[in-house]
Structures are given as structure tokens and as C-alpha cells.
């Protein structure tokens, strides 16, 4: 590639410092001789100046080459990924060779800025793949940065969050400026050595075509690379699809089998029951089937299944495929409740601002239930509560908690459930309750963790101060992948123990519990190719409730097992409403 021509013998220092373009007509004054004594640092230290120029050129070449070959996934970030010939560099050099001076400078400026932006997008892709198992959407994902900042503030405090944001902004600006300067420097180098640059371009072009034709590989990757162009094309396609998706999704959302079903025919099989829908944060299939974690979680599921049996409850379980992984819980919640596949913010805003009947909204529509939400992760106004059909919502601001936060989680799961009992479920009289409860103790980063205490000791939560102080430091936990998985499994066990302990202590003969995970944890826990499946279970004291779903083929107990049915999460609403609706 032309970038390496700088290693040839440099011209005299005075020529190397003169502008590469021809002197404009009428400019008759010679360039000043900076190598003369007393003419700046270059004149006083010519050897150091030449060495600095060489180093700067090499760094510019490496920066541009790295940007052209940079993959957009951490798993592909290997030395072999950079031992390739990028066709974009060859074409770019050829274009710069044929352009006149002024257009060449403009082209170099635009190319540098564009390459810097491409690098930023590649880095965003790496982060999104690592956390959410998908690439960054340049149209729809900008709003997630606000959520990321909130997470940083919860995990590292306001000062740490501000410092991280400032650092990221500085790095992005530095990258854009450095890339633009690097391309400009290489452009000037090409202009000064145009003859050699032309020959090098022809040679590298020939090598690239030959390697592409023969399929030559090095370290498992093709030598003839066109990755940057492919990524640009992929992003253009994603932008087009994202823009088109709004129209496609609006058509899907307008179709609802249950829109015109009379309220008297909805959920007749659950009339008189207290129904609880519970999401357990990050409770994924890996928790029950990954050998590095499943022993602890499987033991919890077995213990809790026996506990339910002794209390007269029955349970069955299976798997649902979540639309998200590693994060984006609200996308899973809205998918489960709406019966629509919600994969991005645009779809989420569309459905939650529509009049589509959610699963929980169906309970309110019947008029047979009071509907309530326990949302400890919500710390501001939440207009989506209207879509979910909740008469009242209790969040982190009005659950009365006086204890410490456990990293992101504003309060322990046991406290959230105790508050539900104190504020609503334990109060006598009135209609049956339909409740949506979000359990957050298993949210990343899984340290420090609360632990089970006597229900009569929960109080206002101040008892958790000592437990928090004795907990582990998340920074230390995340230095060891094995310890991360161990603490993740502990968090899932805690959430399961809290929930089943609540049901066996406060549940009644009319209690029906539906609980599930919202998504798999991050890849740091699951590894690659773990999938998007999450466990789901239905628990009821009345055996007739489970008889209604005998055709589903779900497995007895809380542990689905490897052969349990797997449905897409968006199919659950219609199956549930059908199973528990009027049959004639």
C-alpha cells in the first residue's frame, strides 16, 4: 500500500518541509530555508526532525490502516484481522493521485472525517454486540445513550458518570481530529512521491485482485479485504430498513385478533384469581443450562419446586425467545404484553402510545380486577403505565424504601415483594388483584448482592445497610470472569428464593403466578452464541388453572429442562388469552 512508501529515503529536510503542491503561478518567492542556523527547531535539530517526521508518518499510516481493517465485533478483533490489504486504501490512493491540489485537499479532509466516523460506529457496534448481541442502529439507538448514562450514574455515582461521559466525548473528538490529520498527511506524502505512489498502487492493486481471485487467506482471514466498504453498505442498509420499519410495524400493530372480543369473554378461566406477572431481570436460559452456573440455579429451582409442592401449589415451565439480550428489558416486557415483536425504541414508543390491548390491559378491560404495578426500577414519570392498563403504579419513589441501593437495583427483591404485600396484596376486601412486578436484584453488575432475611425483619429496608457493607465490590468481581458468573448465578437464586418464599408465605388458594426472565445476561456471562431464550413458569394452587394449558406441552416443575417447548415471546399473549378465555 502507498502508506509504506514513506520508508524510502527522504528528500532533503528543506524539501520535505515545503508544501507538496506546485507553486501557484506568479509566486516567485522561494520557500524559506528552515534548515539554516537559527531557523526554528527543525533547523537546529535536523536529525530529530527527520526522525519525528518518519514516526509521525508511520503512526498516521497505522492509524488509517487500522481504521480500514477494524472489525465491528470484539470476537473478530484478532491480529489476523489486520494482516490484510484493504481495497479502500488502494482506491483512495488512486483517487488522490489523479485529483488536482485543491480538490485533493478537500477529498482528504472528507475521507479522514468519514474514516473517523466509521471507526466510532465500529466501536459502538462492538459495545452493542457485547451487551445487547446486536449492532448499533444509527437511526433508532441514540436515545439509549441517556439510559447508559443513567446506568453509569447508578453504578459509579454522579461524579463517575460525568467523568466517563467527558472522557468518551474527548476520545471521540480526538479520534476524528487524528484521523483527519493522518489522511491529510498521507495525502501530502502521495503528492510529493507521485511516481513511486503510482507504481505502489498498481502493484498492490494487482496483488489484491490476485488474492481475491485465489481466495488467499492469512490467519483464517482473506488477504484481499473490503471490510470498510462492506460495513458502510451494511449501515446504509440498516438505515433504510430502520426507516421502512416504522411503516411495516404500524401495519402489524393494527392487526389484533382480540381487539373486538367482548370484555365478558376475556379471561373467564381466571375470574376470582389474584394473578401476578413477574419479570426477573437477566434470568436467561444460560442460568439453568450452562454448566458454569446451572448447578447453583438448578438447585434453587429444585428446592423451590419442592417448597411449592409442600404448600399445595403446582407449576409448569418452558422457554420463551426474547427479542433482546444483555439489556433492553423494556423491549421484552412490551413484547410479552403486546403480542408484538418489539426490537427497537421506535417500535416500543409506537406500541406503548397506541390503543392496542396489552395482556395486563385485558385484565383491566374486564372490570373484574384491580390492576397494580410494582416497579422498583422506575425513578421518574412513566406514561407507559397507561398502555399496561395499571390502575396504580408503585415505583422507587413511593415504595417507602430507606435502605441502600445495590448497584443499579434501587432495592432488594424481597423488599419489593414485602411492599407489595403491605401496600396492596395484604389489604382485605375489594376486587381480585392483577399485578405486574419487576424484580431487579439480578440486574448487572451483580455486586453487592442482598440476601434473604426474615419477612418480619424487612421493615423500611434500613436493615440492608449492614448487608450492603458486607457485600462484594463490583470492580473486584468484574476482574474475574468466573467470579462474574458465580455472582450472577447467586443473584438469580436470590430472586427465585424471594419470589417463591413470598408465594408460599403470602399466597392463597386463588393465587396464580406467571414469572419469566426478560433476557439473557451479557456475553461476559453467557459467552458467544448463547441465544435469546428465557425460562417461563406458571404457578397455581388451583390445578384447574394448569389443566387449561395441558396442550402446551410444558414441563412439570420450575426447571424447564433442555427439551421443553420454546416459543417466541410475542406469541405468549394470544396463547394465554385463548387458553383462559371463554371456550364457547
Amino acid at each position: 500500500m502507498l502508506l509504506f512508501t514513506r520508508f524510502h529515503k527522504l528528500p532533503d529536510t528543506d524539501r520535505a518541509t515545503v508544501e507538496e503542491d506546485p507553486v501557484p503561478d506568479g509566486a516567485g518567492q522561494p520557500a524559506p530555508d528552515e534548515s539554516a542556523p537559527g531557523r526554528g527547531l527543525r533547523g537546529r535539530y535536523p536529525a530529530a526532525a527527520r526522525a519525528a517526521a518518519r514516526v509521525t508518518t508511520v503512526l498516521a499510516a497505522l492509524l488509517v490502516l487500522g481504521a480500514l481493517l477494524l472489525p465491528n465485533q470484539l470476537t473478530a478483533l484478532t491480529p489476523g484481522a489486520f494482516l490484510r490489504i484493504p481495497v479502500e486504501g488502494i482506491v483512495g490512493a488512486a483517487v488522490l493521485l489523479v485529483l488536482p491540489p485543491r480538490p485533493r485537499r478537500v477529498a482528504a479532509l472528507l475521507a479522514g472525517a468519514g474514516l473517523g466516523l466509521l471507526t466510532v460506529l465500529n466501536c459502538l457496534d462492538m459495545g452493542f454486540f457485547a451487551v445487547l448481541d446486536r449492532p448499533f442502529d444509527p437511526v433508532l439507538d441514540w436515545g439509549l445513550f441517556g439510559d447508559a448514562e443513567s446506568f453509569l450514574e447508578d453504578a459509579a455515582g454522579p461524579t463517575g458518570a460525568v467523568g466517563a461521559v467527558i472522557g468518551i466525548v474527548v476520545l471521540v473528538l480526538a479520534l476524528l481530529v487524528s484521523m483527519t490529520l493522518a489522511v491529510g498527511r498521507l495525502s501530502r506524502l502521495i503528492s510529493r512521491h507521485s511516481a513511486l505512489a503510482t507504481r505502489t498502487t498498481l502493484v498492490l492493486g494487482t496483488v489484491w485482485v490476485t488474492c481475491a481471485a485465489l481466495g488467499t487467506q492469512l490467519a483464517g482471514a482473506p488477504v484481499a479485504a473490503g471490510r470498510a466498504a462492506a460495513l458502510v453498505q451494511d449501515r446504509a442498509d440498516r438505515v433504510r430498513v430502520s426507516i421502512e420499519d416504522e411503516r411495516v410495524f404500524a401495519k402489524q400493530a393494527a392487526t389484533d385478533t382480540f381487539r373486538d372480543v367482548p370484555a365478558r369473554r376475556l379471561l373467564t378461566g381466571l375470574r376470582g384469581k389474584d394473578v401476578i406477572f413477574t419479570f426477573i431481570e437477566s434470568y436467561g436460559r444460560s442460568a439453568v443450562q450452562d454448566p458454569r452456573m446451572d448447578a447453583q440455579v438448578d438447585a434453587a429451582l429444585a428446592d423451590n419446586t419442592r417448597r411449592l409442592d409442600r404448600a399445595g401449589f403446582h407449576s409448569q415451565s418452558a422457554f420463551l425467545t426474547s427479542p433482546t439480550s444483555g439489556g433492553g428489558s423494556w423491549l421484552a416486557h412490551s413484547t410479552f404484553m403486546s403480542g408484538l415483536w418489539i426490537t427497537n425504541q421506535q417500535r416500543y414508543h409506537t406500541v406503548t402510545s397506541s390503543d392496542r390491548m396489552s395482556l395486563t390491559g385485558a385484565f383491566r378491560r374486564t372490570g373484574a380486577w384491580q390492576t397494580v404495578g410494582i416497579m422498583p426500577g422506575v425513578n421518574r414519570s412513566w406514561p407507559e403505565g397507561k398502555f399496561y392498563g395499571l390502575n396504580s403504579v408503585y415505583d422507587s419513589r413511593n415504595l417507602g424504601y430507606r435502605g441502600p441501593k445495590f448497584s443499579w437495583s434501587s432495592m432488594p427483591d424481597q423488599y419489593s415483594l414485602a411492599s407489595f404485600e403491605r401496600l396492596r396484596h395484604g389489604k382485605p376486601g375489594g376486587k381480585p388483584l392483577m399485578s405486574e412486578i419487576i424484580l431487579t436484584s439480578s440486574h448487572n453488575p451483580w455486586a453487592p448482592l442482598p440476601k434473604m432475611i426474615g419477612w418480619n425483619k424487612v421493615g423500611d429496608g434500613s436493615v440492608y445497610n449492614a448487608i450492603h457493607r458486607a457485600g462484594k465490590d463490583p470492580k473486584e468481581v468484574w476482574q474475574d470472569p468466573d467470579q462474574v458468573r458465580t455472582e450472577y448465578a447467586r443473584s438469580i437464586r436470590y430472586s427465585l428464593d424471594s419470589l417463591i418464599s413470598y408465594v408460599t408465605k403470602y399466597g392463597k388458594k386463588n393465587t396464580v403466578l406467571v414469572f419469566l426472565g426478560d433476557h439473557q445476561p451479557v456475553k461476559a456471562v453467557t459467552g458467544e452464541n448463547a441465544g435469546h431464550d428465557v425460562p417461563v413458569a406458571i404457578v397455581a394452587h388451583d390445578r384447574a388453572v394448569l389443566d387449561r394449558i395441558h396442550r402446551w406441552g410444558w414441563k412439570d416443575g420450575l426447571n424447564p429442562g433442555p427439551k421443553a417447548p420454546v416459543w417466541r415471546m410475542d406469541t405468549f399473549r394470544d396463547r394465554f388469552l385463548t387458553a383462559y378465555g371463554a371456550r364457547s
Side-chain angles (χ1 to χ4, degrees):
M1 189 175 168
L2 295 178
L3 308 180
F4 302 107
T5 59
R6 186 59 172 151
F7 290 109
H8 289 268
K9 184 177 184 301
L10 293 173
D12 292 339
T13 307
D14 56 346
R15 292 182 59 198
T17 57
V18 178
E19 176 64 26
E20 79 280 13
D21 294 332
V23 178
D25 292 341
Q29 296 297 324
D33 183 3
E34 292 187 358
S35 63
R39 284 283 189 173
L41 291 176
R42 291 188 179 187
R44 291 197 293 271
Y45 307 103
R50 286 193 294 269
R54 290 190 181 98
V55 170
T56 303
T57 299
V58 170
L59 291 176
L62 292 175
L63 183 63
V64 172
L65 184 64
L68 289 172
L69 296 175
L70 182 69
N72 66 337
Q73 295 194 52
L74 289 172
T75 53
L77 199 61
T78 63
F82 299 95
L83 300 177
R84 308 165 71 189
I85 303 174
V87 68
E88 300 87 358
I90 298 172
V91 172
V95 170
L96 292 175
L97 279 167
V98 301
L99 286 176
R102 187 179 297 277
R104 182 173 61 248
R105 287 193 292 270
V106 174
L109 177 66
L110 294 177
L115 197 55
L117 179 60
L118 177 65
T119 304
V120 171
L121 292 174
N122 281 340
C123 292
L124 286 172
D125 274 356
M126 289 182 196
F128 271 68
F129 272 117
V131 176
L132 301 178
D133 197 24
R134 66 172 178 82
F136 172 73
D137 190 317
V139 175
L140 304 175
D141 282 341
W142 296 104
L144 295 181
F145 291 115
D147 296 308
E149 183 182 3
S150 297
F151 174 78
L152 283 173
E153 186 171 339
D154 291 330
T159 303
V162 171
V165 170
I166 292 175
I168 291 171
V169 171
V170 170
L171 285 174
V172 169
L173 292 176
L175 176 62
L176 293 173
V177 172
S178 299
M179 196 68 69
T180 302
L181 293 174
V183 174
R185 184 176 187 85
L186 297 177
S187 173
R188 292 191 294 274
L189 181 68
I190 288 171
S191 175
R192 282 201 299 270
H193 304 281
S194 59
L196 181 59
T198 300
R199 292 194 298 272
T200 306
T201 301
L202 290 174
V203 170
L204 287 176
T206 302
V207 172
W208 190 94
V209 171
T210 302
C211 290
L214 297 177
T216 306
Q217 293 193 351
L218 185 63
V223 173
R227 186 172 190 85
L231 289 175
V232 170
Q233 180 63 50
D234 176 67
R235 286 189 175 84
D237 291 341
R238 272 189 260 156
V239 168
R240 177 182 55 78
V241 170
S242 296
I243 294 173
E244 176 68 12
D245 182 70
E246 184 173 8
R247 184 188 64 81
V248 173
F249 181 69
K251 184 181 293 186
Q252 295 172 354
T255 303
D256 187 354
T257 306
F258 289 89
R259 179 184 298 276
D260 299 321
V261 175
R264 59 183 173 79
R265 298 181 62 82
L266 289 171
L267 300 165
T268 55
L270 293 173
R271 298 297 172 101
K273 307 292 186 186
D274 281 339
V275 182
I276 304 172
F277 292 98
T278 301
F279 288 93
I280 297 178
E281 175 67 36
S282 302
Y283 178 35
R285 186 172 193 143
S286 294
V288 299
Q289 292 186 0
D290 189 321
R292 297 169 295 182
M293 298 171 285
D294 61 2
Q296 187 172 173
V297 178
D298 286 355
L301 292 172
D303 290 345
N304 284 309
T305 297
R306 289 190 291 268
R307 185 184 300 178
L308 288 170
D309 290 341
R310 289 194 298 268
F313 286 90
H314 313 280
S315 58
Q316 291 187 341
S317 56
F319 290 105
L320 300 177
T321 302
S322 174
T324 185
S325 180
S329 304
W330 57 93
L331 303 179
H333 299 175
S334 55
T335 292
F336 180 82
M337 294 298 183
S338 70
L340 295 169
W341 195 240
I342 312 297
T343 55
N344 56 54
Q345 287 299 103
Q346 179 174 274
R347 288 188 169 208
Y348 176 76
H349 290 310
T350 297
V351 72
T352 56
S353 59
S354 72
D355 61 355
R356 185 180 177 86
M357 184 182 72
S358 64
L359 178 55
T360 45
F363 284 83
R364 181 175 180 177
R365 181 173 157 187
T366 66
W369 281 272
Q370 282 290 314
T371 59
V372 60
I374 304 295
M375 307 289 170
V378 174
N379 55 18
R380 65 193 71 178
S381 61
W382 191 57
E384 293 91 333
K386 180 179 180 182
F387 165 75
Y388 291 111
L390 302 175
N391 296 120
S392 54
V393 174
Y394 297 88
D395 59 29
S396 61
R397 300 167 297 177
N398 54 18
L399 282 169
Y401 184 62
R402 296 293 181 268
K405 292 180 64 175
F406 285 80
S407 290
W408 185 88
S409 182
S410 60
M411 62 193 70
D413 292 343
Q414 189 180 7
Y415 180 87
S416 298
L417 292 164
S419 297
F420 171 58
E421 181 66 20
R422 170 173 51 85
L423 295 169
R424 297 303 299 263
H425 186 257
K427 291 187 175 181
K431 296 178 182 179
L433 283 177
M434 189 293 301
S435 310
E436 181 182 356
I437 301 176
I438 312 298
L439 299 182
T440 62
S441 290
S442 50
H443 192 288
N444 179 341
W446 310 302
L449 289 174
K451 63 180 182 179
M452 290 294 296
I453 59 177
W455 288 95
N456 61 342
K457 297 180 180 178
V458 172
D460 65 358
S462 56
V463 66
Y464 290 104
N465 283 303
I467 296 174
H468 183 274
R469 287 193 297 269
K472 296 184 178 181
D473 186 336
K475 293 189 290 294
E476 295 179 1
V477 168
W478 279 79
Q479 292 176 1
D480 181 1
D482 290 335
Q483 193 173 175
V484 171
R485 283 186 283 269
T486 297
E487 296 307 304
Y488 163 73
R490 286 185 61 216
S491 75
I492 295 297
R493 174 154 199 164
Y494 169 76
S495 295
L496 290 169
D497 288 347
S498 297
L499 181 60
I500 302 307
S501 175
Y502 173 82
V503 171
T504 56
K505 181 174 179 61
Y506 296 110
K508 304 171 185 176
K509 291 185 177 181
N510 70 335
T511 296
V512 176
L513 169 68
V514 181
F515 76 91
L516 67 153
D518 46 19
H519 54 70
Q520 286 263 55
V522 294
K523 287 185 178 181
V525 174
T526 65
E528 297 296 322
N529 305 315
H532 286 204
D533 295 347
V534 299
V536 58
I538 296 181
V539 177
H541 199 284
D542 183 355
R543 183 72 210 188
V545 172
L546 295 183
D547 289 343
R548 285 247 181 177
I549 63 169
H550 74 278
R551 294 182 180 178
W552 288 4
W554 286 23
K555 304 300 180 182
D556 289 336
L558 300 180
N559 194 335
K563 296 183 179 180
V566 181
W567 304 343
R568 274 200 0 172
M569 192 176 281
D570 58 334
T571 66
F572 184 86
R573 187 203 74 153
D574 287 8
R575 289 176 186 261
F576 188 89
L577 291 174
T578 299
Y580 292 105
R583 294 184 170 180
S584 61

